[in-house]
Amino acid sequence: MRLLARVSILLASSLSLSATTLNILSNSSVVIIPPTVSNGPTRAEYMSSAHGLDGFKLSNINSTAFGELWFFDAVSDDGRYWVVASFWASPSPSLTMQLRNEKILSVQMVVRVDDDIYSANSVFAEAAQIFTHGKGMNGTWKGTGSSFSGSEDLSTYSINFSSPFEITGSILMEPVAPAHYKCSSDEVGIDTQILPELGWANPIPDAQATVALKVNGTDVKFKGIGYHDLTWSNTPLFRSGTDSVFREYNWGHGRIGPYSIVWLVIAGSDGTNLTSGYVSKDGIILGTPCSDVSVTLRFNPSTEQIQGSSVRMGLGDKGTIHAELEVEKIVINDAGVISGSGRLRGVLGDEGSKHAGVASFTYYNSVH
Ligand SMILES: *[C@@H]1O[C@H](CO)[C@@H](O)[C@H](O)[C@H]1NC(C)=O
Ligand SMILES: *[C@@H]1O[C@H](CO)[C@@H](O)[C@H](O)[C@H]1NC(C)=O
Ligand SMILES: *[C@@H]1O[C@H](CO)[C@@H](O)[C@H](O)[C@H]1NC(C)=O
Ligand SMILES: *[C@@H]1O[C@H](CO)[C@@H](O)[C@H](O)[C@H]1NC(C)=O
Ligand SMILES: *[C@@H]1O[C@H](CO)[C@@H](O)[C@H](O)[C@H]1NC(C)=O
Ligand SMILES: *[C@@H]1O[C@H](CO)[C@@H](O)[C@H](O)[C@H]1NC(C)=O
């Protein structure tokens, strides 16, 4: 499906590039997202296509649409650092409640250094420029000092922050795991909806991340694992106030030894359930199962705080992967959303010794 209302132009420079490189990923387009909500219906693209994996999936963003969120995170190998960056094109840039902003373009970042937590919120952008080229894209939230840029084969990705953003520097990602959608690798014609009218794509399930930020005058530098996904909808995430389309969800990603793992478990308020898993090794997908996947949560019986999850994914004849998340640091704990990092241990099939690594997770429960 092509969105008719999308401003899409082929650039002369990319035409000459494609003529010389004969690259089948050479399709390019520019979309300018205006700074405020639009009038009229918002249409969304929920079917995957050959290009624009990471692109803008909506025709416009009206005042009741969730809009689109480009999400990035990284956890250091030693677990001391955690960073999350969110690029919003949304009148309601929140996972915990319905907001009603006229202005829709903003960037948020949260950084944890040991037990210290820092955050930055951008000014509203004057416009966002989304340049899609092949599977990659770059996005510039004009006036915020924040942008991200992925090469067209998605082999490198950088997220850059400069003044007036209060945290400056960059997050570089070199992906080590191929992109995926729920229950599928990155293929054409996949239904990307994780709930009715809520699209999700995971261009970078796992990456080598190199983070170099300046936070409140201090250098924050680390290497670790990185991740990037995007979520979009032409309808609201909250029907009213805090009444979310989710009853519960549990998302996480991590790496153990050679395995990159992503899980996404959703109980929708409408009774829809989804359990989606992903495992890759050495740049090859071992499975994107949506059946034979279970994620069991563990809670501290006295505080009722989440302590961890047991993740089990059946990969057919490649065996079953078992991974244990042990929550180490909770950074966000707001209106039912709990986000942070932890230790991940696990094993595939009858491998003798367990692998160890780190993970990032979010757990949401509407009953709080
Ligand atoms: C570019 O996109 C158009 C429209 O989606 C498609 O028909 C064409 O095959 C694409 N070309 C390349 C080189 O990918
Ligand atoms: C936004 O678009 C959706 C989907 O087309 C539509 O249902 C909704 O009524 C629109 N909202 C406004 C305020 O126009
Ligand atoms: C975005 O990508 C295009 C095509 O690769 C490139 O010409 C342009 O410089 C990039 N812009 C940014 C901000 O990275
Ligand atoms: C982003 O940061 C990286 C690493 O510092 C740098 O190589 C790159 O040129 C920066 N890109 C932009 C658009 O500023
Ligand atoms: C930022 O640095 C200043 C001066 O070093 C310090 O007083 C302040 O507490 C720091 N802010 C945070 C959030 O750590
Ligand atoms: C979804 O899961 C819940 C329990 O988590 C269950 O009560 C409900 O019946 C399931 N819905 C469907 C459609 O399977």
Side-chain angles (χ1 to χ4, degrees), residues 276-348:
S276 159
Y278 172 93
V279 183
S280 74
K281 181 191 179 191
D282 300 332
I284 311 271
I285 293 178
L286 298 185
T288 55
C290 274
S291 56
D292 200 12
V293 177
S294 72
V295 179
T296 315
L297 297 162
R298 286 195 313 280
F299 294 91
N300 180 315
S302 52
T303 62
E304 294 179 15
Q305 193 64 271
I306 185 167
Q307 281 184 318
S309 333
S310 302
V311 181
R312 192 189 148 283
M313 298 179 196
L315 304 172
D317 57 12
K318 298 189 188 76
T320 296
I321 203 154
H322 292 269
E324 287 288 326
L325 168 73
E326 192 185 320
V327 171
E328 228 174 18
K329 297 283 181 187
I330 289 174
V331 182
I332 295 165
N333 186 353
D334 179 30
V337 171
I338 293 172
S339 246
S341 62
R343 297 276 161 191
L344 196 64
R345 287 174 193 289
V347 66
L348 173 64

Side-chain angles (χ1 to χ4, degrees), residues 8-39:
S8 181
I9 56 170
L10 273 172
L11 295 186
S13 63
S14 67
L15 283 175
S16 62
L17 185 75
S18 67
T20 53
T21 62
L22 294 175
N23 191 331
I24 54 153
L25 299 175
S26 63
N27 262 344
S28 299
S29 67
V30 175
V31 178
I32 307 288
I33 307 176
T36 52
V37 290
S38 301
N39 293 321

Side-chain angles (χ1 to χ4, degrees), residues 22 46 103 160 162 170 192 195 197 217 229 260 296 299 315 326 333 339 365:
L22 294 175
Y46 292 122
K103 297 192 173 178
N160 295 59
S162 58
S170 64
T192 62
L195 281 180
E197 297 188 296
D229 69 16
S260 302
T296 315
F299 294 91
L315 304 172
E326 192 185 320
N333 186 353
S339 246
N365 191 333

Side-chain angles (χ1 to χ4, degrees), residues 168-213:
T168 58
S170 64
I171 301 169
L172 287 182
M173 293 197 190
E174 293 163 90
V176 299
H180 87 118
Y181 297 104
K182 65 149 198 211
C183 325
S184 169
S185 58
D186 170 22
E187 283 162 30
V188 176
I190 301 298
D191 177 4
T192 62
Q193 295 170 96
I194 52 174
L195 281 180
E197 297 188 296
L198 183 64
W200 182 73
N202 185 196
I204 306 180
D206 191 16
Q208 292 300 119
T210 305
V211 177
L213 298 171

